[in-house]
Amino acid sequence: MGHVLDKPRAPVALAPRKLATRIAKDLALKKPARQPAGVPHPDLPLGRILDGDCIEAMRSIPTASVDMVFADPPYNLQLGGDLARPDGSHVDAVTNDWDKFDSFAAYDNFTIAWLAEARRVLKPNGSLWVIGSYHNIFRVGAILQDMGFWILNDIVWRKSNPMPNFKGTRFTNAHETLIWCSMGEDAKYTFNYRAMKTLNDELQMRSDWVLPICNGGERLKKGGAKVHPTQKPESLLYRVMLATTNKGDVVLDPFFGTGTTGAVAKRLGREWIGCEREESYREAAWERIELALPLDESALSTMQSKKSAPKVAFGTLIETGWIAAGTVLSDKKGRYRAVVRADGSLVSDKVEGSIHGVGAQLQGAPSCNGWTFWHMEHQGEVKPIDAIRQLYLLATED
């Protein structure tokens, strides 16, 4: 996503770790005015992409007004020269100025500055997500702990289709790490456990997520070239947002890029704010968000009870767009109908549950294989949803 700030603006008189601790103490002394639950702050720039330096932009956002911050900051990749494939063709890697820093100290001060603003704007029960690679995530993790954040999970996003290591000098980098934090050790936070379990076909959602990188029709291009080198897949933000926010919550992305966060927030009925200094990224983001279709109310409702599992979770097909929330499923003979909801649950009149549970209840049967029972229209044909699962497997296999 888009990144900001060429030169760090945080003070450098103190060592970065001490500076982070001092800022945390200063912020703790400031008691924000309480905003009524469920009512966005009247001064929030909802649905806007704030231009310029993200730290300056965040300073315009009221204190304790945001429910979640999702941050995809510069990774400071330290790439040594251009990358080439075995056939000599160029690899489109991250070589932009926004990812270049003079030193680790400069990067640390930059991290402290944007994290300080993120902490200020978050509500006491808000949460922070940061994504990174081995180049930066450990430095970011230490700093956010010094600033008083409490790490709830580190998530490994294992890419089902990573870029190969063309030089063959190291292991292929096949994952990125996300850190999920609350505002403190005893702070409350949102976690939609049951929705995550439903999304994963009735199994507890684990901290290793297998999702494809952004490619195909989702990858934004202009003139045949990628609009942004590190565009994140919507399926990743879908899972993050569904897990740790609720309908109407305010999500801030300080490194908005081409607007993945905004597009997914619109789909899931969340409010969003972005910060992005690059004009080309802002333009692409606006076009993308305008095309995003919000889900209707019934599809946005998520499960509040129990749920079960095969190799590809039904929720994965929804996250990746193979089956859209709001799709109407039916059995082969058209006797029963159910609507797909955002977390992978189905609802049919007063019956709700997983694809297996709803099928069983409607038939009055002890069990049901939802993959073969439920059908949908796809490319002019009515097919079992298992056929969609097989298409997904074919499309994502190595």
Side-chain angles (χ1 to χ4, degrees):
M1 296 183 182
H3 308 313
V4 296
L5 199 67
D6 291 312
K7 299 293 183 182
R9 299 197 178 192
V12 294
L14 295 176
R17 300 290 296 277
K18 291 182 179 178
L19 177 59
T21 304
R22 191 191 72 180
I23 289 173
K25 289 179 179 177
D26 290 345
L27 288 172
L29 294 173
K30 299 174 181 177
K31 296 288 184 183
R34 284 197 169 273
Q35 185 72 12
V39 180
H41 194 288
D43 296 328
L44 276 172
L46 299 178
R48 287 179 52 195
I49 307 174
L50 306 180
D51 186 5
D53 175 286
C54 78
I55 297 166
E56 291 294 335
M58 282 195 284
R59 286 176 182 150
S60 68
I61 296 173
T63 297
S65 61
V66 169
D67 296 285
M68 186 185 85
V69 172
F70 180 88
D72 181 13
Y75 286 9
N76 193 23
L77 292 177
Q78 311 123 49
L79 295 176
D82 290 338
L83 298 178
R85 297 182 177 88
D87 63 4
S89 60
H90 178 70
V91 177
D92 188 11
V94 182
T95 55
N96 308 70
D97 288 341
W98 49 251
D99 195 59
K100 295 175 183 176
F101 294 83
D102 294 335
S103 64
F104 285 130
Y107 186 81
D108 290 349
N109 283 325
F110 162 73
T111 301
I112 291 166
W114 75 257
L115 274 176
E117 284 304 308
R119 187 167 180 83
R120 181 187 63 79
V121 302
L122 276 166
K123 296 177 181 177
N125 61 347
S127 64
L128 168 76
W129 286 82
V130 186
I131 186 170
S133 70
Y134 69 89
H135 298 92
N136 72 321
I137 199 65
F138 304 109
R139 307 187 75 84
V140 174
I143 290 169
L144 61 84
Q145 285 181 311
D146 288 337
M147 297 191 76
F149 288 101
W150 187 258
I151 296 178
L152 298 166
N153 277 114
D154 66 321
I155 304 293
V156 174
W157 166 31
R158 185 158 66 85
K159 302 172 183 178
S160 57
N161 52 344
M163 181 184 292
N165 185 303
F166 294 110
K167 290 184 177 180
T169 55
R170 291 189 276 182
F171 297 110
T172 296
N173 295 323
H175 78 277
E176 292 182 33
T177 301
L178 297 94
I179 299 176
W180 174 40
C181 307
S182 66
M183 291 288 280
E185 183 176 3
D186 300 318
K188 293 181 179 179
Y189 56 90
T190 296
F191 179 51
N192 298 316
Y193 169 80
R194 288 173 178 167
M196 288 297 97
K197 194 172 180 183
T198 308
L199 197 68
N200 199 38
D201 272 345
E202 302 175 20
L203 287 179
Q204 279 191 341
M205 183 73 76
R206 293 165 33 136
S207 62
D208 53 336
W209 299 353
V210 182
L211 296 167
I213 62 174
C214 184
N215 58 15
E218 187 184 342
R219 168 64 77 174
L220 301 185
K221 291 187 177 181
K222 195 167 186 177
K226 297 175 183 176
V227 175
H228 196 294
T230 64
Q231 181 182 334
K232 296 299 183 290
E234 290 193 8
S235 58
L236 185 70
L237 270 295
Y238 189 106
R239 188 172 295 188
V240 165
M241 228 172 279
L242 196 66
T244 57
T245 63
N246 295 311
K247 183 177 179 292
D249 280 357
V250 178
V251 178
L252 166 67
D253 187 336
F255 309 97
F256 200 63
T258 53
T260 303
T261 299
V264 175
K266 183 178 176 182
R267 285 173 60 197
L268 290 177
R270 276 63 168 165
E271 302 286 355
W272 61 270
I273 304 167
C275 304
E276 179 52 58
R277 73 174 191 181
E278 302 289 338
E279 184 177 2
S280 61
Y281 296 166
R282 293 197 304 273
E283 290 175 355
W286 277 123
E287 290 178 14
R288 179 183 188 183
I289 293 167
E290 285 175 3
L291 292 173
L293 296 175
L295 304 181
D296 63 29
E297 289 295 321
S298 62
L300 282 174
S301 301
T302 53
M303 281 296 297
Q304 299 297 317
S305 55
K306 293 194 171 185
K307 303 39 168 147
S308 179
K311 289 182 181 178
V312 174
F314 181 60
T316 299
L317 301 182
I318 299 167
E319 287 179 314
T320 53
W322 285 81
I323 297 177
T327 297
V328 177
L329 305 181
S330 65
D331 68 302
K332 190 173 183 178
K333 296 182 178 179
R335 296 167 297 176
Y336 308 108
R337 293 164 61 87
V339 176
V340 177
R341 298 195 295 194
D343 63 355
S345 61
L346 303 187
V347 59
S348 177
D349 294 326
K350 295 182 180 180
V351 178
E352 60 178 25
S354 69
I355 56 173
H356 315 295
V358 170
Q361 287 187 66
L362 290 176
Q363 298 177 89
S367 63
C368 171
N369 182 347
W371 290 105
T372 55
F373 177 75
W374 292 110
H375 290 62
M376 62 177 283
E377 186 173 334
H378 179 258
Q379 296 180 345
E381 296 180 48
V382 175
K383 301 176 182 178
I385 57 175
D386 186 56
I388 312 303
R389 174 171 63 163
Q390 298 309 316
L391 289 172
Y392 168 82
L393 287 169
L394 286 172
T396 56
E397 68 181 4
D398 294 336

